Amino acid sequence: MMRRDEIFHWLLEEDENCLKDLWQRADAIRRENVGDEVHLRGLIEISNHCIRQCGYCGLRSGNKDLDRYRMSEEEIMSCVDEAETYGYGTVVLQSGEDYGIETEWLSRIIRQVKKETRLAVTLSLGERPDEDLEAWRKAGADRYLLRFETSDEGLYHSIHPSLPGGVSNRLAMLKTLKKLGYETGSGVMIGIPGQTYASLSHDIDLFRKLNLDMIGVGPYLPHPHTPLGQGDRRRMIPEEEQVPNTEQMTYKVIALTRIVCPDANIPSTTALATINRERGRELGLMRGANVVMPNLTPLQYRAKYEIYPSKACISEIPSEYHSCLHDRIGSIGKKVGTGQGDRIHRFG
Ligand code: SAM
Ligand code: SF4
């Protein structure tokens, strides 16, 4: 087991040879625990409406420059069909926190997907009430993704304001999700202004304590139409304590996450592919990750799901991307996974 002070040390490590050891250790642990299969999850960004005001995200309700959309049931089902055609094991339905996504409407879609396909259904719809989570679980949803973003409470509340009438508590919601029987995923952004090395090492340690099934980490990327992107700093910290939002730091966090959570499913994220379009996804897979989430959102909506600018997948055409994906995965000595790609529990 890696202690928190060791995680902290690794986050500060700059020596290329030492880092090579870290990548190799993470890759060996990945192979031993989850094998060489890369699981594909088809991502469908079903709505960009959001009632929240996260200081970092382009979908925040305060961003009036964004043209909003919500996909219809037919459009969603047509993306689901595509996922089946490409042989993916899972669809991920993601959106802003959008109450236009009504509980029963989505339950109906989940039931249909479960009835007509063999796909696992993952939801990533923000902080919905327990009744919604329960209804969707009953309808057949298998998994839920909700990043806690940072375990530094002060930083979290300063960049993720609560809504009137309730304090945002994503850690409590993760517990509820587990209790309801969802496979549960979480994660953080790397390099949020005000995020220290100490707090990031705490985040990674917390992944282990939460016994997460899936862990997504990616660099924070500034969006010019957000307070953080415009330089608003609620949290001032000494420069030397600030975690950089770099590619290298992202690999370190992926590798350390694999070492502390050997059997978790860890995606090589779009945000990583955005900072290195050529090799980011592959290098993530070579340094601890074992999941890729190809984007199936119809092209006319893709650019509107602008969490941050210049997202890597904005013009990826699913059929073209799919045809080169097997080659890209094969070129790094791995193979595309079959089945739903559930977590293989080895550590309780
Ligand atoms: N609304 C849901 C939620 O917040 O959980 C799901 C969609 S939200 C866009 C998915 C994730 O995008 C967030 O958990 C956050 O980590 C990430 N994200 C948002 N803004 C970002 C940014 N500027 N840079 C990198 N990641 C960002
Ligand atoms: Fe909305 Fe999620 Fe973006 Fe926050 S991170 S503004 S909840 S879409």
Side-chain angles (χ1 to χ4, degrees):
M1 197 179 90
M2 192 181 262
R3 294 188 317 267
R4 178 132 50 102
D5 60 312
E6 292 174 279
I7 298 174
F8 180 83
H9 158 84
W10 275 113
L11 291 176
L12 287 164
E13 184 59 68
E14 292 294 338
D15 183 275
E16 287 294 335
N17 283 324
C18 292
L19 286 174
K20 222 188 246 169
D21 288 346
L22 182 69
W23 315 145
Q24 280 170 2
R25 187 166 157 197
D27 198 42
I29 292 178
R30 190 264 314 142
R31 184 171 308 114
E32 201 177 304
N33 288 276
V34 295
D36 280 331
E37 290 198 333
V38 174
H39 299 291
L40 304 180
R41 327 280 202 206
L43 177 64
I44 312 174
E45 295 155 333
I46 62 175
S47 160
N48 70 352
H49 289 268
C50 188
I51 55 164
R52 294 237 163 223
Q53 288 285 23
C54 302
Y56 42 86
C57 175
L59 305 194
R60 68 198 304 274
S61 63
N63 182 7
K64 303 297 178 207
D65 282 329
L66 187 65
D67 190 12
R68 306 277 171 172
Y69 72 88
R70 186 176 302 118
M71 286 170 64
S72 68
E73 195 169 331
E74 292 70 33
E75 286 172 321
I76 295 172
M77 285 313 295
S78 136
C79 296
V80 167
D81 288 345
E82 242 179 319
E84 271 249 292
T85 309
Y86 297 139
Y88 300 164
T90 304
V91 279
V92 181
L93 307 182
Q94 194 184 75
S95 71
E97 209 166 296
D98 174 16
Y99 286 86
I101 296 176
E102 290 167 359
T103 319
E104 184 42 39
W105 177 81
L106 189 65
S107 294
R108 205 169 53 236
I109 293 176
I110 296 167
R111 277 193 295 269
Q112 201 180 339
V113 178
K114 297 305 288 185
K115 194 167 137 224
E116 293 177 7
T117 76
R118 284 181 303 172
L119 294 165
V121 174
T122 303
L123 304 177
S124 174
L125 309 170
E127 295 159 60
R128 300 283 299 225
D130 293 0
E131 302 80 70
D132 292 359
L133 305 175
E134 205 173 331
W136 294 331
R137 177 77 189 125
K138 277 202 184 118
D142 303 277
R143 308 177 185 145
Y144 205 103
L145 303 176
L146 186 79
R147 289 183 176 181
F148 61 79
E149 316 293 4
T150 168
S151 60
D152 176 332
E153 262 194 67
L155 178 61
Y156 175 72
H157 289 295
S158 75
I159 61 171
H160 185 95
S162 295
L163 293 174
V167 176
S168 167
N169 188 343
R170 288 191 164 205
L171 293 175
M173 189 173 141
L174 290 172
K175 279 199 187 133
T176 305
L177 289 165
K178 284 211 153 208
K179 221 182 282 165
L180 289 170
Y182 282 97
E183 265 199 44
T184 303
S186 193
V188 298
M189 285 178 289
I190 299 160
I192 306 165
Q195 184 184 46
T196 62
Y197 287 94
S199 90
L200 184 56
S201 47
H202 187 262
D203 296 345
I204 297 169
D205 201 34
L206 190 58
F207 294 158
R208 181 178 55 77
K209 291 187 179 135
L210 292 171
N211 188 19
L212 296 167
D213 302 301
M214 303 163 284
I215 303 161
V217 296
Y220 157 71
L221 298 170
H223 188 302
H225 296 154
T226 62
L228 249 67
Q230 287 164 0
D232 183 2
R233 300 283 175 268
R234 300 279 162 85
R235 163 68 65 88
M236 299 309 285
I237 52 170
E239 214 176 301
E240 66 277 11
E241 288 182 25
Q242 171 67 50
V243 172
N245 61 342
T246 56
E247 187 183 352
Q248 183 85 313
M249 185 56 67
T250 306
Y251 298 134
K252 287 189 209 174
V253 178
I254 290 177
L256 292 165
T257 300
R258 172 59 68 201
I259 292 167
V260 301
C261 303
D263 61 0
N265 281 318
I266 301 176
S268 192
T269 56
T270 305
L272 175 58
T274 299
I275 47 178
N276 180 349
R277 276 165 203 264
E278 289 299 306
R279 297 273 297 152
R281 274 207 186 95
E282 280 87 344
L283 287 171
L285 291 172
M286 292 161 77
R287 294 170 178 180
N290 69 321
V291 169
V292 169
M293 294 169 68
N295 198 314
L296 293 177
T297 311
L299 281 178
Q300 74 266 30
Y301 299 133
R302 212 78 75 79
K304 297 179 183 167
Y305 199 83
E306 195 186 51
I307 308 172
Y308 46 78
S310 315
K311 252 167 80 189
C313 60
I314 256 165
S315 52
E316 265 167 20
I317 298 169
S319 56
E320 287 175 9
Y321 182 67
H322 180 72
S323 60
C324 71
L325 197 58
H326 281 254
D327 294 344
R328 287 175 78 157
I329 288 172
S331 76
I332 52 169
K334 298 179 199 298
K335 51 184 185 272
V336 171
T338 50
Q340 295 186 341
D342 293 330
R343 177 183 178 195
I344 310 158
H345 285 270
R346 294 182 51 138
F347 297 91

